[in-house]
Coordinates of all heavy atoms in Angstrom, one line a residue:
A102 N -24.4 -83.3 47.8 CA -24.7 -81.9 48.1 C -25.1 -81.7 49.5 O -24.6 -80.7 50.2 CB -25.7 -81.4 47.1
I103 N -25.8 -82.6 50.0 CA -26.2 -82.6 51.5 C -25.0 -82.7 52.3 O -24.8 -82.0 53.4 CB -27.2 -83.7 51.8 CG1 -28.6 -83.3 51.2 CG2 -27.4 -83.9 53.3 CD1 -29.6 -84.4 51.1
L104 N -24.1 -83.6 51.9 CA -22.9 -83.8 52.7 C -21.9 -82.6 52.5 O -21.2 -82.1 53.5 CB -22.1 -85.0 52.3 CG -22.9 -86.3 52.6 CD1 -22.1 -87.6 52.1 CD2 -23.1 -86.5 54.1
D105 N -21.7 -82.1 51.3 CA -20.6 -81.2 51.0 C -20.9 -79.7 50.9 O -20.1 -78.9 51.1 CB -19.9 -81.6 49.7 CG -19.2 -83.0 49.8 OD1 -18.8 -83.3 51.0 OD2 -19.1 -83.7 48.9
D106 N -22.2 -79.5 50.6 CA -22.7 -78.1 50.5 C -23.4 -77.7 51.8 O -23.0 -76.7 52.5 CB -23.6 -77.8 49.3 CG -23.8 -76.4 49.1 OD1 -23.0 -75.6 49.5 OD2 -24.8 -76.0 48.4
L107 N -24.4 -78.5 52.3 CA -25.0 -78.2 53.6 C -24.0 -78.5 54.7 O -24.1 -77.9 55.7 CB -26.2 -79.1 53.8 CG -27.4 -78.8 52.8 CD1 -28.6 -79.7 53.3 CD2 -27.9 -77.4 52.9
K108 N -23.2 -79.5 54.5 CA -22.2 -79.9 55.5 C -22.9 -80.4 56.8 O -22.5 -80.0 57.9 CB -21.2 -78.8 55.8 CG -20.3 -78.4 54.6 CD -19.3 -77.4 55.0 CE -18.5 -77.0 53.8 NZ -17.8 -78.0 53.1
V109 N -23.9 -81.3 56.6 CA -24.6 -81.8 57.8 C -23.7 -82.7 58.6 O -22.7 -83.2 58.2 CB -25.8 -82.7 57.3 CG1 -26.8 -81.9 56.5 CG2 -25.3 -83.9 56.6
S110 N -24.0 -82.7 59.9 CA -23.2 -83.4 60.9 C -23.8 -84.7 61.3 O -23.1 -85.7 61.8 CB -23.0 -82.6 62.1 OG -24.2 -82.2 62.7
H111 N -25.1 -84.8 61.1 CA -25.9 -86.0 61.5 C -26.9 -86.4 60.4 O -27.5 -85.6 59.8 CB -26.6 -85.8 62.8 CG -25.8 -85.6 64.0 ND1 -25.0 -84.4 64.2 CD2 -25.6 -86.3 65.1 CE1 -24.3 -84.6 65.3 NE2 -24.7 -85.7 65.9
L112 N -27.0 -87.7 60.2 CA -27.9 -88.3 59.2 C -28.7 -89.4 59.7 O -28.2 -90.2 60.6 CB -27.1 -88.9 58.0 CG -26.6 -88.0 56.8 CD1 -25.7 -88.8 55.9 CD2 -27.9 -87.5 56.0
R113 N -30.0 -89.5 59.2 CA -30.8 -90.7 59.5 C -31.0 -91.4 58.1 O -31.6 -90.8 57.2 CB -32.1 -90.3 60.1 CG -32.9 -91.6 60.5 CD -34.2 -91.3 61.3 NE -35.1 -90.5 60.6 CZ -36.4 -90.7 60.6 NH1 -37.0 -91.7 61.2 NH2 -37.2 -89.9 59.9
L114 N -30.5 -92.6 58.0 CA -30.7 -93.4 56.7 C -31.5 -94.6 57.0 O -31.7 -95.0 58.1 CB -29.3 -93.8 56.2 CG -28.3 -92.7 55.9 CD1 -26.9 -93.3 55.6 CD2 -28.8 -91.8 54.8
S115 N -32.0 -95.2 55.9 CA -32.9 -96.4 56.0 C -32.3 -97.5 55.2 O -31.9 -97.4 54.0 CB -34.2 -96.0 55.5 OG -34.9 -95.0 56.3
A116 N -32.3 -98.7 55.8 CA -32.0 -100.0 55.1 C -33.3 -100.6 54.6 O -33.9 -101.4 55.2 CB -31.3 -100.9 56.1
Y117 N -33.8 -100.1 53.4 CA -35.0 -100.5 52.8 C -34.9 -102.0 52.4 O -34.0 -102.4 51.7 CB -35.4 -99.7 51.6 CG -35.7 -98.3 52.0 CD1 -35.0 -97.2 51.4 CD2 -36.8 -98.0 52.8 CE1 -35.4 -95.9 51.7 CE2 -37.2 -96.7 53.1 CZ -36.4 -95.6 52.6 OH -36.8 -94.3 52.8
W118 N -35.9 -102.7 52.8 CA -35.9 -104.2 52.6 C -36.0 -104.5 51.1 O -35.2 -105.4 50.6 CB -37.0 -104.9 53.4 CG -37.0 -106.4 53.4 CD1 -35.9 -107.2 53.1 CD2 -38.0 -107.2 54.0 NE1 -36.2 -108.5 53.3 CE2 -37.5 -108.5 53.9 CE3 -39.2 -107.0 54.5 CZ2 -38.3 -109.6 54.3 CZ3 -40.0 -108.1 55.0 CH2 -39.5 -109.4 54.9
N119 N -36.9 -103.9 50.4 CA -37.1 -104.1 49.0 C -35.9 -103.8 48.2 O -35.6 -104.4 47.2 CB -38.3 -103.4 48.4 CG -38.2 -101.9 48.6 OD1 -37.4 -101.4 49.3 ND2 -39.0 -101.3 47.8
Q120 N -35.1 -102.8 48.6 CA -34.0 -102.4 47.8 C -32.7 -103.3 48.1 O -32.0 -103.6 47.2 CB -33.7 -100.9 48.1 CG -32.4 -100.4 47.4 CD -32.2 -98.9 47.8 OE1 -33.1 -98.2 48.3 NE2 -31.0 -98.4 47.5
N121 N -32.6 -103.7 49.3 CA -31.3 -104.4 49.7 C -31.5 -105.9 49.7 O -30.4 -106.6 49.8 CB -30.9 -103.9 51.1 CG -30.5 -102.4 51.0 OD1 -29.4 -102.1 50.5 ND2 -31.3 -101.6 51.6
E122 N -32.7 -106.4 49.6 CA -32.9 -107.9 49.3 C -34.0 -108.0 48.3 O -35.0 -108.6 48.5 CB -33.3 -108.6 50.6 CG -33.2 -110.1 50.5 CD -33.7 -110.9 51.7 OE1 -34.0 -110.2 52.7 OE2 -33.6 -112.1 51.7
P123 N -33.7 -107.6 47.0 CA -34.7 -107.7 46.0 C -35.2 -109.1 45.6 O -36.3 -109.3 45.2 CB -34.1 -106.9 44.8 CG -32.6 -107.1 45.0 CD -32.4 -107.0 46.5
D124 N -34.2 -110.0 45.8 CA -34.5 -111.4 45.6 C -34.2 -112.2 46.9 O -33.2 -111.8 47.6 CB -33.6 -112.0 44.5 CG -33.8 -111.3 43.1 OD1 -35.0 -111.4 42.7 OD2 -32.9 -110.7 42.6
Q125 N -35.0 -113.1 47.2 CA -34.8 -113.7 48.6 C -33.5 -114.3 48.8 O -32.9 -115.0 47.9 CB -35.9 -114.8 48.7 CG -36.0 -115.4 50.2 CD -37.2 -116.3 50.4 OE1 -37.8 -116.7 49.4 NE2 -37.5 -116.6 51.6
N126 N -32.9 -114.0 49.9 CA -31.5 -114.4 50.3 C -30.4 -113.9 49.5 O -29.3 -114.4 49.5 CB -31.5 -116.0 50.4 CG -32.5 -116.6 51.4 OD1 -32.7 -116.0 52.5 ND2 -33.1 -117.7 51.1
K127 N -30.7 -112.9 48.6 CA -29.7 -112.3 47.8 C -29.6 -110.9 48.1 O -30.5 -110.1 47.7 CB -30.0 -112.5 46.3 CG -29.9 -114.0 45.9 CD -30.2 -114.2 44.4 CE -30.1 -115.7 44.0 NZ -30.4 -115.8 42.5
Y128 N -28.6 -110.4 48.9 CA -28.5 -109.1 49.4 C -27.7 -108.2 48.4 O -26.7 -108.6 47.8 CB -27.8 -109.1 50.7 CG -28.5 -109.9 51.8 CD1 -27.9 -111.0 52.4 CD2 -29.9 -109.6 52.1 CE1 -28.5 -111.8 53.4 CE2 -30.6 -110.4 53.1 CZ -29.9 -111.5 53.7 OH -30.6 -112.2 54.6

């Protein structure tokens, strides 16, 4: 909805460590 209804042009996203490497060395 943010992309298609608001139609934003710029985003700031986060590469959360706990979410993207929940187990050590397993991304």
Side-chain angles (χ1 to χ4, degrees):
I103 289 169
L104 294 177
D105 295 330
D106 193 22
L107 293 183
K108 297 187 184 299
V109 301
S110 58
H111 293 68
L112 271 173
R113 183 172 67 136
L114 301 176
S115 296
Y117 292 121
W118 192 9
N119 61 340
Q120 181 178 341
N121 293 289
E122 193 183 359
D124 300 301
Q125 190 170 13
N126 298 322
K127 294 181 180 179
Y128 302 120

